[in-house]
Amino acid sequence: MERIVGTVVRGLRAPIIKEGDDIADIVVNCVMKASEIEGFKIQDKDIVTLTESIVARAQGNYASINAIANDIREKFGNETIGLVFPILSRNRFAIILRGIAKGAKKIVLMLSYPSDEVGNHLVDMDVLDVKGVNPWTDVLNEKEFREYFGYTLHPFTGVDYIEYYKSLISEYGIDCEIIFSNDPKTILNYTKNVIACDIHTRFRTKRILKENGGENVYGLDDILSYSIDGSGYNEKYGLLGSNKSTEDKIKLFPRDCQPIVNKIQESIKEKTGKIVEVMVYGDGAFKDPVGKIWELADPVVSPAYTSGLEGTPSEVKLKYLADNDFADLRGEELKKAISKYIENKESELVGNMAAQGTTPRRLTDLIGSLSDLTSGSGDKGTPIIYIQGYFDNYIK
């Protein structure tokens, strides 16, 4: 019988993960149980993905705001600290800010505008045009910003992040000055001690600061890059990728993930004889066209994956072939012609017009986005995703 279903994606329910759990065994057991109950066969090139959150929880990779404060004191002493380009997030940055504030003497908080790095807007771009403000050249203090734009609440969270961040800092009785600029060098007019709080542009920001007189420059990836008083840590990403756990504790991005994905792959092979691909995923990499938010607040979509997920898709566009190479064919004749083309397609399609319009992104970013959208971020309870048929094409 002809196959009529392509890619199938299943969210697998899992137990609530706690520190010390063997996450690889739990994932394998969930996959095997789902296969048995749902009646699907495990096949070569199936994909198992698991959220970074359950890996970090199993590792117990947590840290308190006290650990953050101690690291801040160790790195900056009793100096005024400039915080450059933090994202606007109660989940991602607010608790980090509390930890930094607890370890600082004074903070100068420099926000990018009209939006942060991942698309959370402080003010609408059209309003900038109306007010005659150029965000690439104009530096505003808090009073000037309010005079231009007033008090604006985030459309999804209902939070005025300027006031919210200021209140978090004031909890610790320290001075806070807020400025608005998109030029990293601006902060050096206030202090030479800076933390670059951006995610994907952090290397450029740190380079510019150091080249222009920054004396003590770190990124969030440099804070808690090692354990402070027994805390969790991430040697590569530090505080990047962390999430709020409680009001005074964060869950860090997981570390040492490669042995976990390898173990899951090996264990499923032992049980089934099949080689599946495995990856740990965080945020997907996609943009909300309405809210304008770019989802990727983690430093990477996937911190670890098996070798079969390396690279980018090698696909051709069926509609291009149907409209161009085989425009004079229809029905079964067209199907056979396209099938033959796919069967004999080049392994490297860069520059080939038949591949134009296919998604030029890494497999891990595509699969991570698919997984993130499937599992969601709420109470679905499916932190493990099982994907079949992802590598199949029209002729399989």
Side-chain angles (χ1 to χ4, degrees):
M1 182 180 294
E2 183 180 13
R3 176 178 170 185
I4 62 170
V5 176
T7 302
V8 177
V9 185
R10 296 177 174 91
L12 306 188
R13 290 184 175 170
I16 304 300
I17 306 301
K18 302 292 285 186
E19 182 176 353
D21 287 346
D22 189 323
I23 194 64
D25 282 352
I26 289 173
V27 170
V28 171
N29 289 338
C30 286
V31 169
M32 299 305 296
K33 185 176 179 181
S35 171
E36 178 185 351
I37 293 175
E38 296 297 321
F40 64 85
K41 293 183 179 179
I42 294 171
Q43 303 286 353
D44 289 327
K45 299 301 288 183
D46 287 353
I47 306 169
V48 180
T49 68
L50 57 154
T51 67
E52 58 82 19
S53 177
I54 61 173
V55 178
R57 287 175 62 83
Q59 292 174 340
N61 202 21
Y62 292 86
S64 69
I65 61 172
N66 289 331
I68 297 172
N70 288 340
D71 201 5
I72 294 299
R73 293 188 194 101
E74 182 179 302
K75 286 179 168 63
F76 291 98
N78 193 34
E79 299 290 343
T80 297
I81 303 172
L83 305 184
V84 177
F85 305 150
I87 65 172
L88 307 175
S89 173
R90 297 169 298 174
N91 178 43
R92 293 286 189 170
F93 188 70
I95 307 304
I96 291 174
L97 180 58
R98 292 188 67 200
I100 294 172
K102 192 169 185 179
K105 180 185 77 171
K106 177 182 177 179
I107 286 177
V108 180
L109 183 63
M110 191 171 93
L111 301 175
S112 57
Y113 76 104
S115 69
D116 69 9
E117 179 185 5
V118 296
N120 292 294
H121 275 66
L122 284 171
V123 62
D124 191 272
M125 180 67 83
D126 290 332
V127 177
L128 294 182
D129 296 338
V130 171
K131 298 292 185 179
V133 176
N134 185 339
W136 307 113
T137 58
D138 295 344
V139 177
L140 306 176
N141 60 33
E142 184 181 358
K143 182 175 182 294
E144 291 168 333
F145 188 90
R146 295 299 196 188
E147 287 174 349
Y148 277 119
F149 310 117
Y151 292 75
T152 303
L153 302 181
H154 189 281
F156 290 161
T157 65
V159 172
D160 179 331
Y161 279 95
I162 300 170
E163 198 62 36
Y164 178 51
Y165 280 179
K166 198 173 174 183
S167 70
L168 294 177
I169 295 169
S170 67
E171 285 181 21
Y172 298 93
I174 66 171
D175 291 335
C176 171
E177 185 173 357
I178 299 180
I179 57 175
F180 302 84
S181 173
N182 291 303
D183 183 351
K185 297 189 294 293
T186 301
I187 196 69
L188 299 176
N189 297 323
Y190 298 82
T191 177
K192 308 298 184 186
N193 304 283
V194 186
I195 301 176
C197 301
D198 44 349
I199 306 164
H200 307 291
T201 54
R202 64 189 185 276
F203 297 112
R204 177 177 182 268
T205 299
K206 286 192 279 187
R207 174 180 58 78
I208 290 172
L209 291 169
K210 290 175 182 178
E211 289 174 353
N212 288 275
E215 297 173 358
N216 205 12
V217 176
Y218 293 94
L220 288 182
D221 53 334
D222 302 309
I223 311 299
L224 290 194
S225 59
Y226 51 86
S227 181
I228 301 292
D229 302 325
S231 73
Y233 66 96
N234 190 299
E235 67 280 1
K236 187 173 183 180
Y237 299 119
L239 291 175
L240 292 178
S242 62
N243 295 87
K244 176 180 178 179
S245 173
T246 70
E247 290 302 324
D248 59 5
K249 186 169 69 172
I250 58 171
K251 176 201 66 61
L252 297 165
F253 211 50
R255 58 182 190 269
D256 302 325
C257 295
Q258 195 61 44
I260 295 171
V261 297
N262 291 342
K263 181 180 177 181
I264 292 170
Q265 185 183 60
E266 291 163 5
S267 181
I268 291 177
K269 183 181 179 182
E270 288 175 3
K271 293 177 182 297
T272 67
K274 304 298 182 180
I275 299 177
V276 303
E277 303 300 338
V278 186
M279 67 176 274
V280 176
Y281 69 93
D283 276 345
F286 49 85
K287 184 173 181 176
D288 175 0
V290 176
K292 303 175 184 177
I293 299 169
W294 184 34
E295 176 67 10
L296 188 55
D298 285 325
V300 290
V301 173
S302 176
Y305 49 88
T306 51
S307 60
L309 298 179
E310 190 65 59
T312 59
S314 182
E315 300 172 344
V316 293
K317 205 78 169 177
L318 296 186
K319 63 184 180 183
Y320 179 88
L321 296 175
D323 291 345
N324 291 273
D325 296 52
F326 309 117
D328 57 334
L329 302 181
R330 299 181 71 85
E332 190 64 26
E333 193 176 5
L334 175 60
K335 179 180 178 181
K336 287 181 179 178
I338 288 180
S339 297
K340 185 176 181 180
Y341 187 100
I342 293 172
E343 189 173 358
N344 296 294
K345 70 182 178 182
E346 304 167 24
S347 58
E348 178 53 69
L349 292 169
V350 174
N352 187 323
M353 280 305 298
Q356 301 304 304
T358 57
T359 309
R361 294 169 60 191
R362 297 193 308 171
L363 287 166
T364 50
D365 294 340
L366 291 165
I367 296 165
S369 296
L370 175 62
S371 300
D372 189 26
L373 286 167
T374 303
S375 62
S377 58
D379 57 6
K380 286 184 173 62
T382 56
I384 303 164
I385 308 299
Y386 197 81
I387 305 168
Q388 294 188 295
Y390 189 84
F391 292 103
D392 292 354
N393 58 37
Y394 186 61
I395 65 174
K396 294 294 179 68

